[in-house]
């Protein structure tokens, strides 16, 4: 999709620090990391937010996350997956993405 930042990254028009790729999914480092490890997982097919994604595509992204996690020894102690959806969810890039945060002790929501 034109005028979409993450589609431009998929198309190679904007550079990224790629950490995982398969036929359907791309993962790259967040440019403003909020944890020692902060990766964005996206489906290569454009969707604006998670409400617009079909379940098969969501499954493909989560399969990729599992494959990445299983191969990465830095994630054995745990990680957090976050999806911000829409204005009140504080979404800023409108190509659905899943944040993987890890590499340090994250705060509990209740703390
Ligand atoms: P959101 O706030 O929509 O959930 O997350 C968007 C994320 O994209 C933010 O964490 C932001 O730092 C990241 N981001 C914005 N522009 C770029 C970019 O050009 N490259 C990369 N790698 N990340 C970006
Ligand atoms: Zn897009």
């Amino acid at each position: 999709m034109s005028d979409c930042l993450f589609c431009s990254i998929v198309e190679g028009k904007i550079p990224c620090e790629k950490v995982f790729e398969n036929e359907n999914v791309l993962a790259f480092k967040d440019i403003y990391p909020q944890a020692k490890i902060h990766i964005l997982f996206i489906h290569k097919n454009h969707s604006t937010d998670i409400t617009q994604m079909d379940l098969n595509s969501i499954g493909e992204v989560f399969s990729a996350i599992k494959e990445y996690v299983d191969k990465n020894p830095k994630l054995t102690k745990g990680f957090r997956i976050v999806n911000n959806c829409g204005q009140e969810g504080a979404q800023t890039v409108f190509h659905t993405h899943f944040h993987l945060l890890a590499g340090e002790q994250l705060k509990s929501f209740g703390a």
Side-chain angles (χ1 to χ4, degrees):
M1 185 184 167
S2 60
D3 289 343
C4 171
L5 175 63
F6 289 173
C7 282
S8 296
I9 287 178
V10 169
E11 290 161 15
K13 293 178 185 161
I14 292 175
C16 71
E17 280 193 71
K18 190 190 302 181
V19 298
F20 177 94
E21 183 171 21
N22 67 21
E23 190 187 347
N24 303 304
V25 178
L26 179 66
F28 51 90
K29 293 185 183 176
D30 195 292
I31 204 166
Y32 300 119
Q34 301 300 313
K36 283 188 183 154
I37 297 172
H38 188 171
I39 294 164
L40 300 174
F41 281 81
I42 65 172
H43 202 282
K44 291 182 179 178
N45 294 334
H46 181 84
S47 62
T48 305
D49 63 47
I50 194 171
T51 70
Q52 305 301 310
M53 249 180 124
D54 61 88
L55 283 177
N56 186 57
S57 297
I58 293 173
E60 287 171 344
V61 174
F62 276 84
S63 292
I65 291 172
K66 178 168 168 36
E67 191 179 331
Y68 182 75
V69 166
D70 286 348
K71 282 183 189 156
N72 193 330
K74 290 183 177 168
L75 299 178
T76 51
K77 285 185 176 174
F79 57 90
R80 178 176 293 165
I81 301 295
V82 174
N83 171 256
N84 296 327
C85 180
Q87 187 186 341
E88 292 197 353
Q91 184 177 0
T92 60
V93 176
F94 288 87
H95 179 128
T96 314
H97 52 280
F98 299 87
H99 300 256
L100 184 152
L101 299 155
E104 62 187 282
Q105 182 60 57
L106 301 176
K107 288 193 175 67
S108 148
F109 290 140

